[in-house]
Amino acid sequence: MQTHSTFRCTPKAFGLAILLSCGLVFVGWAQAGQYRLLAEKSNAVVVAARVQNAEQHCNLEISIQGQATLEREVRAPYFEARIDITPQDVESVTVTWRGKSKRVNDEIVNACPTQGRTQFQVMDDNVALRASWLSGFAAMGQAKAECVRTALQMDRVRYEWFDVNDKESSPEDWKIQRAMGQCDAFLSQKKAWGEQNPKSFPCVQSGVKTRCEGFYSVTENGKTRPISADEAIRRQLDKLPWGTGVRETSGAKVARQKQEQALKDQQLAQEQAKLKAELEAREREEQMAKEAIAAQARERKAKAEADYARRLQELERREQERLEKRSWLLKQLEKLKSDPKADAKSDGKGDGKGDAKSDAKSDGKTDAKPEVKAEAKAEEVKPPAPAAPESKAEEPKPK
């Protein structure tokens, strides 16, 4: 595999920085390197057996200098075993391994047909190693450094304790080489967001200006779902397909939805205000119509009452004229009907005053005279009787 690094190699570069920045880890031959151990601390390291036959699952017996022997089952394709080493006041620790069969639940696990050894140097600290790796990451650039660091962490490579200049080889060598090469391929693939910052950039979604972010995706069973950048790197390391897309950022989406909701609320408020104004106008028109009808009714009632009053006045006037035009005799009659006592008093003042008194004394009644007199006057004013019809021949009476 060839390197795609754009950094130039200079004579002043040294150690890990030379290997990382000049791309020497990408050459066809295996790059040597091994972990360094921290004295008197537990250190997790990896050993791997070379298994040439078609064995897929076998057992190893591992001997660690200064520690008890242990066994590990390993599997294809890498046949790796992770072990812990705690060095005690030594400069180096040698680890050897060989195949050894064992029985598990009445089943035999075959011995790996191999044997091997490696050696780990013991150090008081890893300051120099960290400095070399930081220098190498700086030479790669931020994007590639993040990708390589993520890939190594996924493969559980403790790079801050790994010395690529060690003469020993390690099963971590190919993982480091793969991280370097696959990260170049990962970064060279075109992204949906182009050269923009994938975390946030201006975009247009459904005709609306907003801010978007890039995301990685994978298509499974005909459906596309977003995945994290770490998962995309994992798929790149495993040479599996992945894709990219663009979506609106959550913050921009919330702000846009709030703005849209505010606009909807404003439009709704305007519509409600318009409907309310129309309703009030209709109510005012109806009220004015009712008031107009009521005013007309009042006018008709007032006119009717005025006409009625005029008719009453006219009737009273006519009655007054009729009363004024009637004869003296009728006036006296009506006066008697309305107040007989008053008429009796007026009659008592005349010539028959003494007779009336004597009659009253003799009869013992004071109010008999007016009644008699009223009857006499009534007889006086009684119209003459009609002439008697001519006498007819007397009809014979039935026998």
Side-chain angles (χ1 to χ4, degrees):
M1 185 180 296
Q2 298 296 321
T3 180
H4 300 282
S5 177
T6 59
F7 298 101
R8 298 179 60 189
C9 184
T10 64
K12 294 182 180 180
F14 64 95
L16 179 62
I18 293 177
L19 295 174
L20 297 178
S21 62
C22 298
L24 297 182
V25 293
F26 301 118
V27 295
W29 49 270
Q31 170 64 37
Q34 187 54 279
Y35 281 113
R36 294 287 186 255
L37 305 180
L38 181 61
E40 299 181 356
K41 295 292 182 181
S42 178
N43 300 263
V45 296
V46 177
V47 296
R50 288 179 176 272
V51 178
Q52 302 296 333
N53 63 4
E55 196 74 51
Q56 297 294 310
H57 177 207
C58 56
N59 189 59
L60 287 175
E61 181 184 65
I62 303 172
S63 299
I64 303 172
Q65 180 183 343
Q67 295 183 206
T69 301
L70 51 87
E71 294 185 17
R72 290 287 188 272
E73 294 181 30
V74 293
R75 298 178 183 276
Y78 306 120
F79 298 99
E80 293 180 353
R82 188 170 295 273
I83 60 176
D84 293 326
I85 301 176
T86 305
Q88 300 292 335
D89 194 21
V90 292
E91 293 182 357
S92 64
V93 175
T94 300
V95 177
T96 61
W97 57 86
R98 66 184 181 86
K100 180 182 179 181
S101 63
K102 71 173 183 178
R103 181 181 295 273
V104 178
N105 298 329
D106 297 331
E107 293 185 1
I108 299 297
V109 178
N110 294 332
C112 295
T114 185
Q115 62 180 2
R117 67 175 297 281
T118 189
Q119 191 174 47
F120 299 93
Q121 299 298 317
V122 180
M123 305 176 64
D124 292 329
D125 58 60
N126 64 341
V127 174
L129 288 177
R130 288 204 311 270
S132 297
W133 277 95
L134 289 174
S135 178
F137 285 142
M140 296 177 196
Q142 182 178 358
K144 183 175 179 179
E146 289 179 358
C147 178
V148 171
R149 189 180 291 109
T150 300
L152 295 179
Q153 289 172 350
M154 287 180 176
D155 285 336
R156 301 172 67 183
V157 176
R158 298 187 304 119
Y159 56 84
E160 69 275 8
W161 284 95
F162 196 87
D163 185 0
V164 297
N165 292 324
D166 196 292
K167 63 181 181 179
E168 294 284 340
S169 63
S170 169
E172 309 288 49
D173 293 338
W174 72 271
K175 298 176 185 177
I176 297 173
Q177 293 180 42
R178 182 179 68 168
M180 297 292 183
Q182 293 301 321
C183 279
D184 280 335
F186 181 81
L187 296 174
S188 65
Q189 182 167 324
K190 290 184 179 180
K191 311 296 191 300
W193 53 87
E195 299 299 324
Q196 301 179 97
N197 182 0
K199 293 182 179 179
S200 179
F201 55 89
C203 64
V204 177
Q205 293 283 320
S206 301
V208 179
K209 291 183 178 180
T210 182
R211 296 198 69 81
C212 291
E213 63 182 356
F215 67 94
Y216 297 92
S217 64
V218 61
T219 301
E220 296 174 339
N221 299 324
K223 295 183 179 180
T224 300
R225 63 177 178 86
I227 60 175
S228 65
D230 291 356
E231 188 174 350
I233 293 173
R234 178 76 268 171
R235 295 182 68 85
Q236 179 67 43
L237 294 176
D238 296 337
K239 297 183 180 180
L240 296 174
W242 53 273
T244 59
V246 171
R247 63 190 174 192
E248 190 175 23
T249 63
S250 58
K253 185 177 182 179
V254 170
R256 177 180 57 79
Q257 289 176 343
K258 286 183 178 179
Q259 185 177 4
E260 291 176 353
Q261 187 62 42
L263 181 60
K264 289 180 181 179
D265 292 343
Q266 182 180 2
Q267 292 175 347
L268 180 61
Q270 291 175 352
E271 292 177 359
Q272 290 178 344
K274 183 178 178 181
L275 291 175
K276 183 179 179 181
E278 292 177 354
L279 180 61
E280 291 177 350
R282 191 179 300 114
E283 290 177 351
R284 285 196 298 270
E285 291 176 358
E286 292 176 356
Q287 184 64 27
M288 291 174 64
K290 290 179 180 179
E291 291 177 355
I293 293 172
Q296 292 175 358
R298 288 194 298 271
E299 290 179 1
R300 288 194 298 269
K301 182 179 180 181
K303 184 178 179 182
E305 290 176 351
D307 292 342
Y308 180 72
R310 283 195 297 272
R311 286 197 299 272
L312 288 179
Q313 291 178 357
E314 179 67 18
L315 290 174
E316 290 178 358
R317 183 184 64 76
R318 290 180 181 180
E319 180 65 15
Q320 187 65 29
E321 290 180 354
R322 185 186 68 76
L323 293 174
E324 291 176 355
K325 290 179 180 181
R326 65 189 170 170
S327 64
W328 179 88
L329 187 59
L330 288 174
K331 289 180 181 180
Q332 294 301 318
L333 254 166
E334 290 180 358
K335 188 181 296 184
L336 281 172
K337 289 179 180 180
S338 61
D339 191 2
K341 293 182 179 182
D343 188 66
K345 290 179 181 179
S346 61
D347 291 342
K349 294 178 181 180
D351 296 334
K353 184 177 182 182
D355 295 334
K357 289 181 180 181
S358 61
D359 291 337
K361 289 179 180 180
S362 60
D363 295 336
K365 297 179 181 178
T366 57
D367 53 350
K369 184 178 180 179
E371 292 179 1
V372 173
K373 193 161 186 162
E375 291 177 0
K377 287 189 175 184
E379 290 177 358
E380 292 176 0
V381 298
K382 185 177 181 180
E390 294 180 359
S391 61
K392 292 182 180 180
E394 187 175 324
E395 294 180 358
K397 294 179 181 181
K399 291 183 179 180

